Amino acid sequence: MLGKVLCTVLFVGAFPSPAEASQGHISVVLLGATGDLAKKYLWQGLFQLYMDQVSSGHSFTFHGAALAAPEPGQRLMFDMLKKLSCPPDEAPNRCAVLKDQFLKLSQYHQLKTAENYTALSREIETLLRQEGLKEAGRIFYFSVPPFAYTEIARHIDSSCRPPAGAWLRVVLEKPFGHDLRSAQQLAAELAGFFREEEMYRVDHYLGKQAVAHILPFRDQNRQFLDPIWNQHHVERVEVVLKETVDAKGRTSFYEQYGVIRDVVQNHLTEALMFLIMELPANVSSAQEVVQHKLQAFQSLWGLERSSAVLGQYQAYDSQVQEELQEARGHVSTTPTFAGVLIRSDSLRWEGVPFLLTSGKALDERVGYARVLFKNRAYCTQSGTLRDAGHSQCKPKQIIFHFGHGALNTPAVLVSRNLFQPVMPKDSWKEGEARSDLHVFGQPLSDFYVYSPVKERDAYSVLISHIYHGRKDFFITTENLLASWAFWTPLLDSISRQLPRLYPGGVENQHLLDFEMVSGGVAFTLAEPAELLNPSGQTPSDFRAIQSKFRQSPLVSAWAEELISQLASDMEEAAVRSVARSGQFHLALSGGSSPVVLFQRLARHHYGFPWKHTHIWLVDERCVPLTDSESNFLSLHRHLLQRVRVPYFNIHPMPVHLNRRLCVEEDGGTELYAKDIVALVANASFDLVLLGVGTDGHTASLFPRSENGLEGAPTVVLTESPVKPHQRMSLSLPLINRARQVFVLVLGKGKHDITTLLSRVGHEPRKWPISGVSPSSGQLVWYVDYEALLG
């Protein structure tokens, strides 16, 4: 049947003859062809692709697939196809012909087993052989839940790949994981079946015309933007998505994901990256765009609990109870509103706040990215004269309007007192300067306004890019994991946080307004009513927290409060030391645990006497200091480049001498030991910060280590059981000469070793941390609840 139709289609007068149709045949397989996304967007997008490309030289067949049996599945699918429509500018006769052809070229398949996929592949091959057509490629669009990805991928890879010489493009819909770990797992599974260039991860916001035009706009207007696209001229950047609808009917999904995972981690973050990444030489190069995005991610400060404000509309709990059959009185902590403050330490953006905001049940439906510029002008005229014309006293901004809102269309707006932008006339048209419409309190006539010549649905745009192999509009594995690595710490820190309740719609009034305070954000209005406590336990519910650990003082709290207390105690110790001796010698450990502490010190402790502080390392991996494994590089990224420590007060370990790493003959340990003796009174650090490994190691002193646990040397080379094996470390005797030693222990992964250490004595050869006992100083343990209580 399809063969006859295909032959007929190729001979329609308005379309290419078989001789002209030499580019080959494309088979499009839509998995989940009877689902909601397919019904709303995907079939219409595929039909648009067919209308656009029917004369391109390719022939097409469309294979809808689902788990339903052939007869009911086909009936359901064709009910959807009959509702397809053409754009308003399409001639009715041509539209009718194209729609009829599209329906005839579409077929339903039940795809459940490996045999089903094998049968589909044979059917495609048989059809093309009968028609004498060469296969150009196959598109598999996964409009199915992610838990089904791996099995489907296995079937495609083993039974349904196109022959050699034809391409395969696999299209994946979000969510791509729930956090960094799950995203890594899903990425690893898919990488077992598909190459990176074969995978197209969809973020449909990248298909929205205003979002897709951010990079081209920056590229085409370099002459205007280069001088002002930086911290000296930009006041702040906002990326916003507001919805009037609630989560009713989607609470099963929403309970798992919430607003940050649903739209902020992906849609809004991608738009932000387009705004703040360094501009590639070629904005159409997928590889260049990804590399610049990754660099932008690396420049962002880590997020903590104070970086976000959270809300939940009041009806959400009752909807969850009704749809998920939860018990009456069930309290959900899932946020339906979030405002997040992001900062960058890049030279371009240091000090500029980036605000990402999204929520359901808000007062309007609108999405935009807005760059608000600092206003340096002072105008002496009265208000009326000051606001006339294109006064420099008016706000200056560039807005990428995604859609809806007062404009109800995608648009790019540039304040007339900034510059008149360069816009491609074939795809964007200048709009009417209307004064009756207002945007951010200004009449539209204050802006140069541009809207698309032809408005297109995001999915239609992305499906066209898939056909053309345009990878720059899709999320690569590296991009995906970088985003999750950035967002996961915040998601973990707010998992127990109660969101502010809000009534929804215009009744929210100022309840969700927030402001930037103390390096984070907070709601401007006080909580209007006391919220119910969730039924989850707190530490006091199940165990009294002791005030001592291994006969030393213990500070315990949830991780974020613990880090806050530790940072305050470190600042207090530094101030006391500087008052006493004029300087503060601080030795810091490497690893992942101190990173959040470094960020806290950089953001919140402006009274820390950095000018009088000497920074030393407790240990270092034997890698170049620029290597990602280097403890010094981590310290530099998260602390040193953000605070004003004199250059000559920073003391990295000399692991890289004479172009060699940790060679004993080079004398790196002796050099560091001599520096300590020369600069640190009595070789007694004012404060040493340590961590604990799951095997009981501390610094780079490992169980049964031959060096560093005892004896005269103060700085030693050691061997780690994990790569990189070679390390340099302060010795246990030197650590025990410190005035104060703080030990930081975070996370459930440290619960077993914490429990063990609470029971064992002084056995440093088995557990080096047990040998930490300052001879004339103080030892304090900082252990979070997860490590302490499991």
Side-chain angles (χ1 to χ4, degrees):
M1 174 63 183
L2 273 177
K4 291 181 179 177
V5 172
L6 190 58
C7 186
T8 303
V9 168
L10 290 171
F11 276 99
V12 171
F15 309 115
S17 69
E20 293 170 322
S22 58
Q23 294 188 40
H25 182 80
I26 297 174
S27 303
V28 182
V29 182
L30 175 55
L31 298 141
T34 57
D36 194 51
L37 186 64
K39 179 180 179 180
K40 287 182 177 177
Y41 302 110
L42 301 184
W43 279 119
Q44 184 64 49
L46 291 173
F47 180 43
Q48 184 66 53
L49 173 70
Y50 181 67
M51 287 189 285
D52 292 342
Q53 302 301 330
V54 69
S55 302
S56 68
H58 281 125
S59 58
F60 295 86
T61 48
F62 300 90
H63 305 266
L67 298 177
E71 190 174 324
Q74 180 158 316
R75 186 167 56 251
L76 191 56
M77 186 183 96
F78 275 89
D79 284 344
M80 295 179 182
L81 299 187
K82 289 171 186 173
K83 296 175 183 175
L84 296 175
S85 60
C86 295
D89 59 350
E90 192 69 68
N93 290 344
R94 186 173 190 269
C95 175
V97 171
L98 289 171
K99 184 175 177 180
D100 181 62
Q101 290 175 355
F102 184 79
L103 265 64
K104 288 176 179 177
L105 291 171
S106 302
Q107 189 173 10
Y108 177 82
H109 303 263
Q110 183 184 32
L111 290 184
K112 291 178 73 174
T113 66
E115 290 75 19
N116 294 148
Y117 285 85
T118 303
L120 172 61
S121 189
R122 284 179 185 154
E123 184 175 320
I124 293 171
E125 290 164 5
T126 301
L127 171 67
L128 299 186
R129 189 167 53 251
Q130 289 173 349
E131 301 305 317
L133 293 170
K134 179 183 177 182
E135 185 158 15
R138 298 181 189 180
I139 297 172
F140 285 87
Y141 201 118
F142 286 42
S143 180
V144 296
F147 66 76
Y149 281 6
T150 303
E151 184 181 0
I152 294 173
R154 183 180 295 109
H155 290 323
I156 293 172
D157 183 53
S158 63
S159 310
C160 217
R161 275 187 170 275
W167 46 255
L168 172 67
R169 291 173 190 157
V170 176
V171 189
L172 305 165
E173 277 285 346
K174 76 175 186 74
F176 311 119
H178 186 264
D179 53 18
L180 177 59
R181 187 174 179 180
S182 59
Q184 288 171 328
Q185 182 179 348
L186 181 57
E189 289 170 355
L190 290 171
F193 305 110
F194 306 127
R195 298 189 299 276
E196 179 67 30
E197 62 267 24
E198 293 176 329
M199 290 185 282
Y200 290 68
R201 290 184 185 85
V202 169
D203 181 330
H204 79 271
Y205 256 61
L206 302 191
K208 287 187 176 289
Q209 288 165 290
V211 177
H213 196 61
I214 293 175
L215 281 184
F217 177 89
R218 290 181 58 193
D219 184 44
Q220 293 155 11
N221 291 278
R222 286 179 192 255
Q223 59 177 323
F224 304 118
L225 294 176
D226 277 354
I228 63 173
W229 205 256
N230 55 58
Q231 58 172 312
H232 303 297
H233 296 271
V234 175
E235 181 178 315
R236 69 180 186 221
V237 177
E238 303 169 0
V239 186
V240 175
L241 172 59
K242 296 170 66 178
E243 297 182 88
T244 54
V245 298
D246 59 21
K248 189 173 184 179
R250 294 186 71 218
T251 57
S252 176
F253 170 84
Y254 228 74
E255 274 296 274
Q256 294 181 64
Y257 291 92
V259 66
I260 294 179
R261 290 181 173 94
D262 185 29
V263 296
V264 180
Q265 175 270 330
N266 36 66
H267 304 333
L268 303 195
T269 301
E270 287 301 312
L272 178 66
M273 289 298 107
F274 284 158
L275 290 168
I276 69 170
M277 63 187 272
E278 290 302 308
L279 208 52
N282 180 5
V283 296
S284 298
S285 165
Q287 189 173 5
E288 286 189 45
V289 169
V290 168
Q291 290 310 310
H292 284 74
K293 270 192 195 177
L294 295 177
Q295 290 168 13
F297 271 119
Q298 289 168 2
S299 75
L300 300 180
W301 291 22
L303 297 174
E304 52 191 33
R305 189 181 299 185
S306 61
S307 302
V309 289
L310 306 174
Q312 182 191 95
Y313 64 84
Q314 287 175 337
Y316 181 76
D317 256 339
S318 60
Q319 291 171 354
V320 169
Q321 292 169 27
E322 179 184 346
E323 294 179 20
L324 304 184
Q325 284 79 54
E326 293 287 355
R328 191 178 180 85
H330 167 81
V331 176
S332 169
T333 59
T334 301
T336 61
F337 168 86
V340 184
L341 171 64
I342 298 174
R343 292 187 182 274
S344 168
D345 58 23
S346 72
L347 291 175
R348 182 182 297 278
W349 296 115
E350 186 176 13
V352 179
F354 308 142
L355 296 171
L356 271 56
T357 306
S358 185
K360 290 189 172 293
L362 300 182
D363 61 315
E364 62 176 337
R365 184 184 184 190
V366 68
Y368 60 84
R370 178 190 184 212
V371 180
L372 181 64
F373 292 87
K374 296 174 181 177
N375 200 325
R376 301 175 181 276
Y378 172 76
C379 299
T380 57
Q381 302 100 319
S382 64
T384 305
L385 291 170
R386 185 172 64 241
D387 293 338
H390 309 321
S391 166
Q392 288 300 308
C393 281
K394 288 185 177 182
K396 301 176 182 182
Q397 51 196 320
I398 296 174
I399 303 163
F400 298 91
H401 191 271
F402 307 156
H404 305 291
L407 301 182
N408 202 32
T409 181
V412 176
L413 294 82
V414 179
S415 293
R416 289 182 179 270
N417 56 4
L418 266 178
F419 59 86
Q420 182 168 6
V422 176
M423 294 291 283
K425 293 182 179 179
D426 59 332
S427 53
W428 291 83
K429 60 185 179 183
E430 187 168 1
E432 181 185 350
R434 296 176 57 180
S435 56
D436 57 325
L437 280 180
H438 285 71
V439 179
F440 298 108
Q442 287 184 263
L444 205 58
S445 54
D446 281 356
F447 298 90
Y448 295 106
V449 182
Y450 298 86
S451 58
V453 171
K454 185 175 183 180
E455 195 170 336
R456 299 195 65 176
D457 168 71
Y459 278 98
S460 296
V461 171
L462 292 176
I463 288 171
S464 174
H465 291 323
I466 295 162
Y467 165 79
H468 288 290
R470 288 284 305 273
K471 288 281 288 184
D472 49 317
F473 285 86
F474 298 88
I475 308 299
T476 66
T477 301
E478 280 185 302
N479 187 165
L480 173 71
L481 297 183
S483 181
W484 275 122
F486 175 69
W487 285 102
T488 296
L490 174 67
L491 291 165
D492 289 343
S493 72
I494 64 173
S495 59
R496 298 180 188 85
Q497 186 172 334
L498 280 170
R500 167 174 288 196
L501 295 179
Y502 59 95
V506 293
E507 293 180 28
N508 295 333
Q509 297 187 30
H510 298 292
L511 201 56
L512 297 178
D513 293 353
F514 60 93
E515 60 188 339
M516 292 171 277
V517 289
S518 303
V521 285
F523 286 118
T524 56
L525 296 181
E527 189 76 54
E530 186 177 343
L531 297 176
L532 295 171
N533 280 321
S535 57
Q537 292 179 317
T538 62
S540 59
D541 292 326
F542 48 84
R543 192 181 304 182
I545 306 298
Q546 66 270 31
S547 59
K548 293 271 187 181
F549 185 80
R550 293 182 57 80
Q551 289 77 54
S552 294
L554 168 69
V555 180
S556 55
W558 292 116
E560 191 159 337
E561 287 83 356
L562 185 73
I563 292 296
S564 176
Q565 184 61 53
L566 174 55
S568 296
D569 291 349
M570 289 177 67
E571 180 177 345
E572 186 180 333
V575 170
R576 281 200 313 267
S577 177
V578 171
R580 182 181 63 250
S581 65
Q583 54 191 356
F584 177 57
H585 287 277
L586 173 64
L588 297 170
S589 285
S592 57
S593 293
V595 167
V596 287
L597 172 65
F598 299 159
Q599 293 170 343
R600 179 83 194 180
L601 288 168
R603 296 179 188 182
H604 300 283
H605 291 267
Y606 301 108
F608 202 106
W610 295 114
K611 183 178 179 181
H612 304 285
T613 298
H614 284 257
I615 302 288
W616 302 83
L617 266 71
V618 170
D619 64 328
E620 180 60 281
R621 297 172 169 95
C622 292
V623 296
L625 297 186
T626 55
D627 190 285
S628 60
E629 294 279 355
S630 166
N631 288 342
F632 179 78
L633 182 63
S634 176
L635 177 64
H636 171 73
R637 279 180 175 168
H638 300 291
L639 179 65
L640 296 180
Q641 67 179 4
R642 300 178 183 176
V643 297
R644 294 184 178 180
V645 179
Y647 174 78
F648 40 81
N649 284 10
I650 300 170
H651 309 283
M653 282 185 157
V655 294
H656 198 183
L657 296 172
N658 302 321
R659 299 184 181 180
R660 304 190 295 185
L661 292 166
C662 293
V663 176
E664 198 165 344
E665 291 78 11
D666 292 334
T669 55
E670 289 85 354
L671 283 172
Y672 209 56
K674 286 178 181 177
D675 282 349
I676 292 170
V677 170
L679 296 172
V680 183
N682 302 316
S684 175
F685 290 107
D686 296 301
L687 176 61
V688 174
L689 176 71
L690 299 176
V692 180
T694 55
D695 59 354
H697 83 264
T698 191
S700 280
L701 304 172
F702 297 91
R704 293 171 293 280
S705 179
E706 295 181 6
N707 301 319
L709 297 179
E710 54 190 11
T714 54
V715 184
V716 296
L717 294 177
T718 66
E719 289 285 326
S720 165
V722 297
K723 292 182 178 180
H725 296 299
Q726 279 190 301
R727 308 289 176 94
M728 186 179 289
S729 178
L730 302 186
S731 69
L732 197 55
L734 180 61
I735 290 170
N736 283 333
R737 294 177 69 168
R739 288 176 176 270
Q740 284 186 297
V741 177
F742 292 170
V743 182
L744 175 62
V745 191
L746 297 176
K748 282 186 179 179
K750 301 292 177 65
H751 175 61
D752 289 346
I753 189 62
T754 304
T755 303
L756 180 65
L757 290 172
S758 69
R759 299 169 182 165
V760 302
H762 180 87
E763 298 184 68
R765 290 202 63 78
K766 286 186 178 179
W767 304 286
I769 187 66
S770 72
V772 175
S773 180
S775 52
S776 57
Q778 181 190 36
L779 170 64
V780 183
W781 292 81
Y782 292 80
V783 187
D784 79 342
Y785 289 145
E786 290 192 332
L788 192 65
L789 305 171

